[in-house]
Amino acid sequence: MKRLVLVSLLLASAMASAVVVRHDVSDSAYLVAETELPALVDLPHEGHGVLIAPQWVLTAAHSTQWHPITEVMLNGSCLKVEQVFVHPGYKQLPEGLAERDPEGAIDFLAGLDDIALIKLAEPVSGVSPVGLYGEQAEIGTTVVLFGKGATGNGKSGQLAGSNRTQLRRAENVISAVEERALIYTFDSGPGARPLEGMLGNGDSGGPVLLDNSGRWELVGLARGRLSTSPPGFYGQQSHQVRVSYYLPWIRATMGGTGS
């Protein structure tokens, strides 16, 4: 019974995100001011999105399911939401599946189209939207992760506590791709990035970014791990929503205008 309860909790937490850092680098090296990424959107209570057009925010579908999304925070302003568009390929995990068949539950989560668009009531001015990466050449790319959720380090794992803390920025390298997902590993030692990190609990829907000559491009969205093991340890893989795969749906949903 204890294992079944643990599996259920871990599957729920696997679909979330924040920044877990190296144990041998000061946490202060990862902390950044919120002005570092003005296009980062805070959803109610926890979870993120990214401004990709003046009236549109891209996020993970599951992060829209916890609380009604009637308003969001962007660059210190509270903005009203007109409508939330969840991808038709997103479904809730069937009740009891995690307890009956943990591996089946992981397979179910892996096959979801975990992406949503939020249309704001009014266009935003004064904040530049983040561009969308669409080349489908992500393997080997160094990406930047942003999150305000729970933290921890790769030696001790993710810490228990609040899922909304300070903004952190970390790096990783995309090591594999699937049709719907980008995958990276939380490395340690000589093979790790100087500010190596991974996403944990609390900021689902946040950005996985590529720095293209000083301009941010959105490569992925924080989705989390697909695993029943405790989160935040070195060697773990993280699966992120692959934005390039969803460009046709994003453009069609926005009406092809980007306005």
Side-chain angles (χ1 to χ4, degrees), residues 34-41 51 74-75 126-128:
E34 297 197 18
T35 53
E36 183 83 4
L37 185 63
L40 182 69
V41 172
L51 187 73
L74 173 69
N75 199 32
V127 177
S128 298

Side-chain angles (χ1 to χ4, degrees), residues 73-158:
M73 292 294 296
L74 173 69
N75 199 32
S77 297
C78 183
L79 306 176
K80 297 295 183 183
V81 169
E82 179 178 312
Q83 190 172 354
V84 177
F85 298 85
V86 175
H87 194 287
Y90 179 78
K91 303 290 187 298
Q92 294 280 4
L93 185 70
E95 185 175 355
L97 179 60
E99 290 80 6
R100 296 191 310 271
D101 181 9
E103 296 304 321
I106 290 174
D107 289 342
F108 178 89
L109 294 172
L112 292 179
D113 294 303
D114 191 7
I115 191 167
L117 276 162
I118 298 172
K119 186 177 184 181
L120 303 174
E122 300 290 340
V124 172
S125 60
V127 177
S128 298
V130 172
L132 300 178
Y133 180 85
E135 296 183 24
Q136 294 195 330
E138 301 96 341
I139 292 180
T141 299
T142 297
V143 291
V144 180
L145 319 171
F146 283 91
K148 294 182 184 177
T151 189
N153 66 68
K155 186 175 181 180
S156 303
Q158 182 177 283

Side-chain angles (χ1 to χ4, degrees), residues 176-189:
V177 298
E178 297 174 351
E179 186 176 49
R180 295 174 172 84
L182 306 175
I183 300 169
Y184 63 76
T185 302
F186 191 14
D187 291 319
S188 61

Side-chain angles (χ1 to χ4, degrees), residues 18-88:
V19 175
V20 182
V21 305
R22 290 177 56 152
H23 78 285
D24 55 350
V25 176
S26 172
D27 181 54
S28 63
Y30 291 86
L31 294 171
V32 293
E34 297 197 18
T35 53
E36 183 83 4
L37 185 63
L40 182 69
V41 172
D42 289 344
L43 302 184
H45 301 285
E46 63 181 74
H48 285 309
V50 187
L51 187 73
I52 62 167
Q55 204 168 350
W56 292 91
V57 173
L58 193 65
T59 187
H62 76 272
S63 63
T64 69
Q65 306 299 297
W66 303 325
H67 307 282
I69 309 295
T70 59
E71 56 189 23
V72 298
M73 292 294 296
L74 173 69
N75 199 32
S77 297
C78 183
L79 306 176
K80 297 295 183 183
V81 169
E82 179 178 312
Q83 190 172 354
V84 177
F85 298 85
V86 175
H87 194 287

